[in-house]
Amino acid sequence: MTRIDQWTWAVRLFKSRSVAAAAVKAGHVRLNGERAKPATTVHEGDEVRIRAEGYEKVFEVVRLLDKRVGAPLAREAYVDNSPPPPPKDEFFGAFGTRDRGAGRPTKRDRREMERLRGGRAQDAPAEDGWG
C-alpha cells in the first residue's frame, strides 16, 4: 500500500516529497481520471496524470515503490505514455523571439511583446483611471 504523493516522489517525478504532496493537494495530479488526495493509495496498473510545465504527463504504474530509488530503477516502476511536448517554436512563436546576446529589450520592444501577448492597448485608459 503506497500513497500517491510518496510514489510520485519515489519514482522521481517530483524533487521532494513535500513538493509532491503540494502538487497533489493543488489538483495537478489525477489517479485513474479522478482528482487525488495525498493519502490516496496507488495500485499496479493505475494511470497517473500530472499537469506540469503547460502540458500533461501520463504514467502507468508498473511497480510500487515507497522509498526513493536511483533513476534507472525509478524508470522501471512506470511506463511513460505522455504525448510529446509541443515544439518550442510553435509554443513561443507568437511571443516573438530575440537574438541571443541582444541585450535587454527596449521599452518599444516590451510594448511590442505585450501587444503580441494580447495585453491592453497603450492608448486605452486603465480601468482605474490612473492611465
Side-chain angles (χ1 to χ4, degrees):
M1 187 161 79
T2 304
R3 295 166 51 116
I4 185 86
D5 61 339
Q6 190 173 16
W7 184 83
T8 54
W9 165 76
V11 295
R12 298 178 172 266
L13 299 178
F14 290 104
K15 194 170 187 173
S16 70
R17 179 137 178 224
S18 60
V19 171
V24 175
K25 282 181 190 174
H28 300 297
V29 178
R30 292 187 170 270
L31 183 65
N32 296 324
E34 298 290 322
R35 186 173 173 174
K37 293 181 180 180
T40 304
T41 57
V42 180
H43 305 285
E44 292 180 3
D46 285 350
E47 179 187 71
V48 177
R49 292 178 174 267
I50 300 174
R51 181 103 177 121
E53 301 169 13
Y55 63 97
E56 194 169 57
K57 298 174 186 178
V58 182
F59 303 99
E60 180 184 340
V61 179
V62 175
R63 200 168 109 208
L64 297 178
L65 298 174
D66 55 356
K67 300 222 185 235
R68 196 162 170 101
V69 295
L73 290 174
R75 274 189 238 105
E76 294 174 3
Y78 62 84
V79 176
D80 189 355
N81 296 327
S82 305
K88 285 191 174 187
D89 294 339
E90 181 182 313
F91 184 72
F92 292 107
F95 297 114
T97 57
R98 292 183 52 82
D99 294 330
R100 186 171 176 91
R104 183 177 172 175
T106 63
K107 190 170 191 176
R108 174 188 244 170
D109 293 338
R110 290 194 308 269
R111 285 181 176 163
E112 180 67 20
M113 287 188 280
E114 186 66 28
R115 187 184 64 75
L116 287 172
R117 289 186 188 125
R120 74 175 181 93
Q122 291 298 321
D123 35 75
E127 293 190 20
D128 61 0
W130 286 90

